[in-house]
Amino acid sequence: MTVTETYLTSLQGKIFKLLPMREAYDQGVDNHLDEYIGNLCTNFDGAFDCHPEFSSYREMAEIQGNLWSLKANLSMDFAKWRSTILRSTRLVQTVLTRYYGEV
């Protein structure tokens, strides 16, 4: 597995993790959701420096926008939150498929 493939697969899991974190957050659990998503946004922004080819994929720009939107709106309607998370994980899968074929 290449570094890029490992990064994208890890990113997909980290994005998906936002679903149970938000559910717990909504139940009053102090799980540092804001810090987690902030770190995820910072890490993702840095990935464009390490992998400049990401800038040629519109999916990567959409994922970046989705993450920043979620970060700015921790209390958005859960159905919209879930939809944004699932869309983002599918977009990561699209990029993985373009790079490596069926993964």
Side-chain angles (χ1 to χ4, degrees):
M1 190 178 275
T2 68
V3 171
T4 304
E5 187 176 7
T6 301
Y7 173 77
L8 290 169
T9 302
S10 174
L11 176 65
Q12 193 172 32
K14 289 176 181 180
I15 292 170
F16 191 78
K17 183 179 177 178
L18 289 167
L19 280 178
M21 288 186 77
R22 169 65 194 273
E23 288 173 328
Y25 176 83
D26 287 350
Q27 294 172 0
V29 175
D30 183 16
N31 59 5
H32 307 283
L33 175 62
D34 55 339
E35 291 174 28
Y36 180 85
I37 197 166
N39 289 335
L40 184 56
C41 287
T42 300
N43 178 275
F44 189 70
D45 289 347
F48 282 91
D49 293 332
C50 296
H51 305 281
E53 67 275 15
F54 285 171
S55 63
S56 66
Y57 290 98
R58 86 157 173 82
E59 292 88 355
M60 296 301 280
E62 186 175 340
I63 296 164
Q64 185 179 37
N66 287 347
L67 289 174
W68 281 99
S69 176
L70 293 172
K71 182 181 183 300
N73 299 293
L74 291 178
S75 61
M76 90 171 40
D77 176 70
F78 185 76
K80 185 174 180 180
W81 179 277
R82 181 180 56 237
S83 175
T84 302
I85 296 295
L86 296 177
R87 168 101 178 122
S88 296
T89 59
R90 283 190 304 271
L91 290 167
V92 173
Q93 187 61 46
T94 298
V95 174
L96 273 166
T97 300
R98 282 193 190 159
Y99 262 92
Y100 303 102
E102 284 303 314
V103 180

